[in-house]
Amino acid sequence: MKPVKIGLLGLGTVGGGTVRVLKRNASEITRRAGRDIQIVAASARSLDKARICDTTGIRLTADPYEIVNDPEIDIVVELIGGLDPAQDLVLQALDAGKHVVTANKMLIALHGNEVFAKAREKGVMVAFEAAVAGGIPIIKALREGLSGNTVEWLAGIINGTCNFILTEMWEKGRDFGEVLKEAQALGYAEADPTFDVEGVDAAHKLTILASIAFGIPLQFAKVYIEGISGITALDVTYAEALGYRIKLLGIARRTAEGIELRVHPTLIPARRLIANVNGVMNAVLVKGDAVGPTLYYGAGAGAEPTASAVVADIVDVVRTLTSDPDNRVPHLAFQPGAIADIPVLPIEAVETAYYLRLSAEDKPGVLADVTRILANHNISIEAIIQKEAPQGGSQLPVILLIHKVRERELNEAVARIEALPTIGGSVKRIRLETLG
Ligand code: NDP
Ligand code: HSE
């Protein structure tokens, strides 16, 4: 049979990794796919740059549209990232009747509905396993392996850069900025790393996971997003002393009122497996009604781990090239006509437990005032610790762990606490999930 011809858009971290894996494992991959897979062309902005892969035998071009319009190419693999020009390239490739594999979570989270509609119209496939959690086959697990379940909730460490930064801060007390630079040098971070540290990249991924888990439309704009830039080494240390680790989690939960979609730093009990997922590793915990909790773990970023997912998608596309488009696995797991518009809850309506850190004057009655305010809002305290004042300071750090409370109620209580003359500055709040 004729080889299947691939055109790569992008030859950076993931593009380079994909060339390496496809070349190194060519015979093993052919045995699985049933056809030879040949990279005929690849595009990059600069043709002079040193590459992490051997490009011998691949036609190189600085014009990605040359690949998209090449009639010889069967599958376009988009590894440029961002929206411009990736979105237009993907839509043009689909229009030209080519299948598309992409690692671009921003494109899928923001414009997936349009991209999938175009693919259906043209009878071609769009595969995007590498868009979520790097090398972990979480899309396949959710879309196929768990299709007998009603998914109740999922919680994931889905940004490798943030997990790498938090781990280095916790294990070695390293400085935030310095570790971020290292994550960039290792190829983990996005082209604009604020997407990583401010939680936007994790929110793109959560949008995709939630859609596949619950059969809801992709709706990135409704995700509550808080990144890790406000997390201090002090909070990491206090959390540890209380038996918790801080992780950036993406959480999607089905409740009677609607769906929670949120990305934020979270205290997790240190005894949980997911609390011990460190460095660039990712993990997604999925709770299905039939199977119970399941945990998926692996490298969340980097050249070859991500290429592993890209190549698996290419193999999937090759295997189903001749199948009837109506009998393929739906992009978002549920049949397009069965996507349900379940409301997404605003963050004020979400209930979680909390870690609070405040600075209090060292005199009688101060903590009593704080606990009275919490009690008046029906907020119960699980633990309270008072630390030594930092050298030369007159205010004591006080850490409180509070039981589940609706965010709206906590906002009011915190505003009252911050207004006390004995409390300095604002109250630091980090959500806490037991993930039991
Ligand atoms: P890189 O920045 O390493 O590579 C991007 C590639 O696209 C480069 O070859 C670059 O050319 C080319 N490129 C950039 N802008 C343009 C443009 N305007 N027109 C044409 N070509 C362009 O990115 P990554 O490989 O890290 O990421 C690629 C995709 O994979 C992104 O969507 C990213 O979010 C996703 N991803 C990345 C992971 C990772 O670990 N890095 C993990 C999972 C997903 P040149 O090399 O000449 O600059
Ligand atoms: N920047 C992303 C991360 C790449 O750090 O997780 C993988 O999607």
Side-chain angles (χ1 to χ4, degrees):
M1 230 187 293
K2 270 196 339 184
V4 175
K5 304 217 166 155
I6 306 285
L8 271 187
L9 309 179
L11 263 183
T13 304
V14 185
T18 301
V19 173
R20 279 196 335 220
V21 173
L22 275 173
K23 284 193 167 192
R24 188 174 68 238
N25 296 338
S27 66
E28 205 69 349
I29 290 167
T30 300
R31 285 172 63 210
R32 294 195 172 107
R35 304 261 298 266
D36 279 343
I37 294 170
Q38 190 186 343
I39 310 169
V40 294
S43 77
R45 269 177 310 199
S46 156
L47 298 185
D48 304 328
K49 227 188 226 177
R51 297 289 159 194
I52 62 167
C53 59
D54 173 11
T55 55
T56 313
I58 302 173
R59 189 177 85 237
L60 298 183
T61 171
D63 177 10
Y65 286 92
E66 197 187 293
I67 292 180
V68 160
N69 295 317
D70 181 344
E72 192 195 17
I73 286 169
D74 305 297
I75 305 175
V76 168
V77 181
E78 185 278 304
L79 301 171
I80 293 175
L83 295 182
D84 182 22
Q87 182 181 4
D88 187 52
L89 286 163
V90 164
L91 291 172
Q92 281 212 28
L94 296 173
D95 250 332
K98 297 183 194 310
H99 305 281
V100 169
V101 171
T102 179
N104 192 333
K105 49 267 166 144
M106 184 195 276
L107 174 64
I108 299 298
L110 270 57
H111 299 287
N113 298 323
E114 177 197 357
V115 167
F116 300 147
K118 171 71 76 188
R120 279 196 301 276
E121 179 196 324
K122 296 288 172 180
V124 291
M125 287 171 265
V126 177
F128 52 95
E129 181 66 68
V132 183
I136 309 175
I138 184 64
I139 305 275
K140 199 161 194 79
L142 260 182
R143 200 160 58 179
E144 298 174 48
L146 298 181
S147 55
N149 287 262
T150 294
V151 176
E152 295 171 2
W153 55 265
L154 61 85
I157 295 173
I158 46 179
N159 184 271
T161 302
C162 286
N163 206 42
F164 182 70
I165 294 173
L166 289 172
T167 304
E168 292 290 304
M169 282 171 76
W170 162 65
E171 277 184 347
K172 302 178 191 151
R174 289 179 66 194
D175 171 70
F176 187 103
E178 172 199 315
V179 190
L180 173 59
K181 282 206 184 93
E182 192 181 336
Q184 288 178 281
L186 289 165
Y188 302 156
E190 294 303 301
D192 176 355
T194 57
F195 276 69
D196 294 290
V197 297
E198 296 308 339
V200 178
D201 176 74
H204 288 148
K205 294 165 178 165
L206 185 72
T207 301
I208 299 171
L209 288 179
S211 191
I212 292 174
F214 304 131
I216 56 174
L218 293 155
Q219 36 199 340
F220 169 74
K222 295 191 183 158
V223 183
Y224 171 79
I225 309 174
E226 201 181 301
I228 63 163
S229 56
I231 298 295
T232 63
L234 208 60
D235 294 312
V236 173
T237 310
Y238 291 157
E240 185 68 21
L242 288 159
Y244 293 86
R245 301 268 155 76
I246 300 179
K247 296 289 180 190
L248 183 75
L249 284 192
I251 300 173
R253 192 189 303 270
R254 194 195 292 264
T255 74
E257 292 87 36
I259 294 203
E260 296 177 8
L261 282 184
R262 47 195 170 99
V263 169
H264 50 70
T266 315
L267 267 77
I268 316 172
R271 65 180 184 281
R272 293 262 178 257
L273 273 177
I274 196 167
N276 295 285
V277 170
N278 291 321
V280 74
M281 303 310 268
N282 280 194
V284 184
L285 184 54
V286 183
K287 173 75 174 16
D289 69 331
V291 70
T294 55
L295 182 66
Y296 308 85
Y297 169 82
E304 291 208 5
T306 311
S308 161
V310 171
V311 174
D313 271 351
I314 295 174
V315 170
D316 253 5
V317 171
V318 172
R319 280 175 177 151
T320 45
L321 273 177
T322 51
S323 68
D324 173 0
D326 288 338
N327 292 330
R328 291 179 185 143
V329 179
H331 295 111
L332 295 176
F334 291 72
Q335 296 299 333
I339 298 288
D341 214 354
I342 307 170
V344 175
L345 297 176
I347 192 70
E348 292 74 23
V350 168
E351 267 193 4
T352 53
Y354 258 99
Y355 158 105
L356 305 179
R357 174 166 60 80
L358 40 105
S359 293
E361 273 182 29
D362 187 11
K363 62 182 193 190
V366 175
L367 285 187
D369 290 341
V370 171
T371 54
R372 195 173 311 112
I373 291 174
L374 292 174
N376 288 344
H377 285 271
N378 275 326
I379 299 171
S380 65
I381 298 169
E382 187 194 317
I384 182 161
I385 320 175
Q386 190 172 306
K387 295 282 183 185
E388 297 272 300
Q391 255 192 345
S394 61
Q395 299 227 313
L396 304 173
V398 175
I399 291 77
L400 294 130
L401 296 186
I402 57 168
H403 286 292
K404 271 191 169 183
V405 55
R406 208 169 284 275
E407 186 104 358
R408 192 176 292 118
E409 197 68 40
L410 183 69
N411 291 345
E412 287 173 17
V414 165
R416 294 217 164 92
I417 293 170
E418 286 174 344
L420 289 171
T422 49
I423 299 297
S426 54
V427 173
K428 179 67 174 283
R429 307 152 50 146
I430 308 177
R431 294 174 186 83
L432 185 156
E433 294 282 342
T434 55
L435 303 179

